Amino acid sequence: MRYANQVGVPVFVVNFAGNFLVQVAGEMQCDASLPTAENIYHIFGEGFMKKTMFHLVMATGTFIFCAPYASAKTFTESLQQGSVVKVSFRTRYEDVSEDGLKDSDALTARSRLSYQSGAWNGLGFSAEFDDVTELTGDVDYRTAPSGDLNNPGTAIIADPEGTEVNQAFVSYTTTNNQLKYGRQRLILDNARFIGNVGWRQNEQTYDGVSWVNKTTDVINFTYAYINNVNRVFGDNNPIQGDHKHNSHIFNVSYSGFNAGKLIAYTYLLDVENPAIAKSASSDTFGVRWQGAASQTFLYNLEYAQQTKAGAAEEFEADYFLAEGTLNLLPFAFTLGYELLGSDKGLYGFSTPLATMHAFQGWADKFLATPVVGLEDKYINVGVTAAGAQILVSYHQFDSDKGALDYGNEIDFSVSRKFGPVVLMAKYADFSMGEVAAFKDTKKFWLMADWSF
């Protein structure tokens, strides 16, 4: 039997003892004569096995079981029974004004076609295609902070035109496990560390392997190996586009406590290309507690430590979050403090795979953490009125080292659903403090999101 190491070939329906589960004549069978862990080196290639974590995952126990799976009897039937096709459109107007740069605006539309097959003995296939178009036909703005040489001196709107495969993966599902191989969406917890950057028109997705285990109702374990990150800046950007990885993601949660859920995670990020992006490499170890003191008061506490950070793996920094939400219907009040620490003013705690637009203000002034770190003290007030969701936020930004005042920001949004359409208006206003690099910025969006 020949094996391939290209994404899209389902060669690794494996168990942790090193056996493969193979599909033979429509029945699942265990075959111990097939390759063991040593052979997988040749299947996935040197990059896949560079770190020992994949060996450790394979050594812990069996994640796919030789058990009957209720599904269509033939492959053809699986295409007819349980398959789902979805179409969605998202149209958005964005206007950006930043001191020192020429104002930018864009009217873009994202068209998405999604397909999910039915199950065939636990096996399935999903594909998703996106097209992003500037409707005026004139892209007169920069789409990235670097790598886009067009329209110098203009404010950035990170929605490049293009047509891409957003997702394409083979899956194998049992009662308690799901394995995916290929290009896929990954969102862990609140997306502070691993997310899809769903706000941008071109979504961030990941090439690799993921395994989710839910053997019990209260324990959820996720492992992912990432060999490529398809970033929001598009395939054509040589610096900010795809980033090649050799990264391992571990996340486990326990929800058996009456008072809340405990989450522990390890994110071992090894960015290999482009060379300029290697500074985003790091090892992060953290714990998160999502608690409920009562039906009206919720809170989150989180701590993480980042080591071996930077291109030379020489920095260390800490992360801390304390956040409380009081629900007094129809209002919700949130008060929070988030710290991305600094290592002696030389390196700031980094979350390069996060959905960063959801944090530290919608003006996106801190997509890269300053080397002296960042403190964000914020308050959110949300209310539901006349079927609309309204949110107002205020942020005060300061450095971790040096007591610098970066500035403050006020954000406002209102959204409402009308049948299959969600309409949204959103505004962000950042006011500069005493650091000239973070200039006054205003952003405004109008968006319509259709799903069918």
Side-chain angles (χ1 to χ4, degrees):
M1 179 180 293
R2 295 191 306 170
Y3 301 96
N5 62 0
Q6 300 297 315
V7 171
V9 183
V11 297
F12 49 77
V13 184
V14 300
N15 67 27
F16 290 169
N19 297 333
F20 275 50
L21 297 179
V22 294
Q23 190 70 38
V24 179
E27 297 180 351
M28 295 302 296
Q29 300 180 359
C30 290
D31 188 344
S33 66
L34 290 174
T36 59
E38 286 72 17
N39 301 109
I40 296 176
Y41 180 97
H42 302 290
I43 299 173
F44 295 102
E46 179 181 0
F48 192 92
M49 304 300 285
K50 183 177 180 181
K51 290 189 177 181
T52 61
M53 288 302 161
F54 184 66
H55 290 288
L56 295 176
V57 172
M58 294 186 61
T60 57
T62 300
F63 64 83
I64 295 180
F65 307 98
C66 293
Y69 190 90
S71 63
K73 293 181 180 180
T74 69
F75 177 75
T76 302
E77 288 177 341
S78 75
L79 300 179
Q80 300 172 346
Q81 301 176 9
S83 62
V84 177
V85 177
K86 294 182 179 180
V87 178
S88 66
F89 303 95
R90 187 164 75 178
T91 303
R92 181 162 66 206
Y93 173 76
E94 180 170 351
D95 182 87
V96 180
S97 175
E98 181 175 349
D99 280 2
L101 297 174
K102 181 181 178 181
D103 293 354
S104 294
D105 66 336
L107 180 61
T108 59
R110 185 191 70 192
S111 305
R112 171 171 289 175
L113 175 64
S114 306
Y115 169 78
Q116 179 178 322
S117 74
W120 180 57
N121 296 299
L123 291 169
F125 172 74
S126 296
E128 189 169 75
F129 304 91
D130 285 356
D131 175 80
V132 179
T133 300
E134 217 292 332
L135 295 178
T136 68
D138 184 15
V139 180
D140 56 358
Y141 51 87
R142 284 187 297 154
T143 61
S146 59
D148 182 0
L149 301 180
N150 299 312
N151 308 302
T154 59
I156 295 170
I157 297 178
D159 288 328
E161 289 190 302
T163 302
E164 296 185 2
V165 177
N166 195 50
Q167 295 193 91
F169 61 84
V170 176
S171 63
Y172 181 76
T173 305
T174 69
T175 303
N176 302 316
N177 300 273
Q178 185 175 59
L179 181 71
K180 293 181 180 179
Y181 177 44
R183 181 166 297 181
Q184 56 196 278
R185 179 181 294 114
L186 288 176
I187 305 174
L188 295 179
D189 304 327
N190 62 342
R192 188 63 184 96
F193 290 87
I194 309 295
N196 67 326
V197 198
W199 173 250
R200 300 307 338 168
Q201 297 284 51
N202 182 29
E203 186 180 10
Q204 176 171 281
T205 55
Y206 303 84
D207 297 346
V209 187
S210 69
W211 166 48
V212 176
N213 174 270
K214 299 180 180 179
T215 301
T216 72
D217 293 336
V218 296
I219 298 177
N220 187 3
F221 175 79
T222 299
Y223 166 76
Y225 171 78
I226 299 170
N227 64 15
N228 187 70
V229 179
N230 308 283
R231 305 178 76 229
V232 301
F233 303 106
D235 292 340
N236 294 327
N237 190 311
I239 299 175
Q240 298 289 343
D242 286 10
H243 282 182
K244 301 300 180 182
H245 275 241
N246 184 14
S247 299
H248 300 265
I249 307 300
F250 299 85
N251 183 290
V252 60
S253 65
Y254 178 78
S255 57
F257 301 109
N258 292 329
K261 180 165 72 171
L262 181 65
I263 303 167
Y265 51 84
T266 296
Y267 303 138
L268 309 177
L269 304 186
D270 183 1
V271 185
E272 297 184 331
N273 282 300
I276 194 173
K278 291 184 178 181
S279 59
S281 299
S282 66
D283 292 349
T284 301
F285 308 88
V287 60
R288 176 180 174 90
W289 172 257
Q290 298 177 175
S294 66
Q295 291 184 345
T296 59
F297 182 71
L298 309 176
Y299 64 98
N300 297 310
L301 298 172
E302 188 168 2
Y303 172 78
Q305 184 178 61
Q306 201 162 80
T307 64
K308 297 183 179 179
E313 300 184 353
E314 58 184 324
F315 298 117
E316 297 182 359
D318 296 329
Y319 172 87
F320 178 74
L321 170 71
E323 180 182 73
T325 299
L326 179 64
N327 292 303
L328 299 174
L329 297 179
F331 292 94
F333 303 90
T334 298
L335 185 66
Y337 172 82
E338 185 182 44
L339 168 69
L340 283 76
S342 172
D343 186 348
K344 302 175 183 177
L346 300 175
Y347 171 85
F349 191 101
S350 175
T351 60
L353 301 184
T355 298
M356 286 181 276
H357 180 76
F359 304 91
Q360 300 164 346
W362 299 333
D364 291 335
K365 302 302 294 183
F366 302 100
L367 298 180
T369 306
V371 294
V372 290
L374 175 63
E375 288 184 346
D376 178 13
K377 297 179 280 289
Y378 58 92
I379 182 170
N380 304 331
V381 179
V383 62
T384 300
Q389 288 73 49
I390 301 170
L391 179 65
V392 179
S393 300
Y394 174 81
H395 298 259
Q396 173 61 47
F397 301 111
D398 300 285
S399 67
D400 177 39
K401 304 294 183 182
L404 299 175
D405 175 10
Y406 291 131
N408 59 74
E409 181 171 329
I410 296 176
D411 298 330
F412 171 81
S413 74
V414 56
S415 63
R416 195 181 192 284
K417 186 174 183 180
F418 297 90
V421 183
V422 176
L423 300 179
M424 172 182 282
K426 187 169 167 178
Y427 177 74
D429 186 348
F430 175 84
S431 297
M432 184 179 71
E434 59 186 8
V435 180
F438 302 102
K439 299 183 183 301
D440 290 352
T441 301
K442 294 180 175 62
K443 296 187 178 184
F444 174 70
W445 301 268
L446 284 175
M447 187 170 73
D449 201 336
W450 291 268
S451 297
F452 303 95

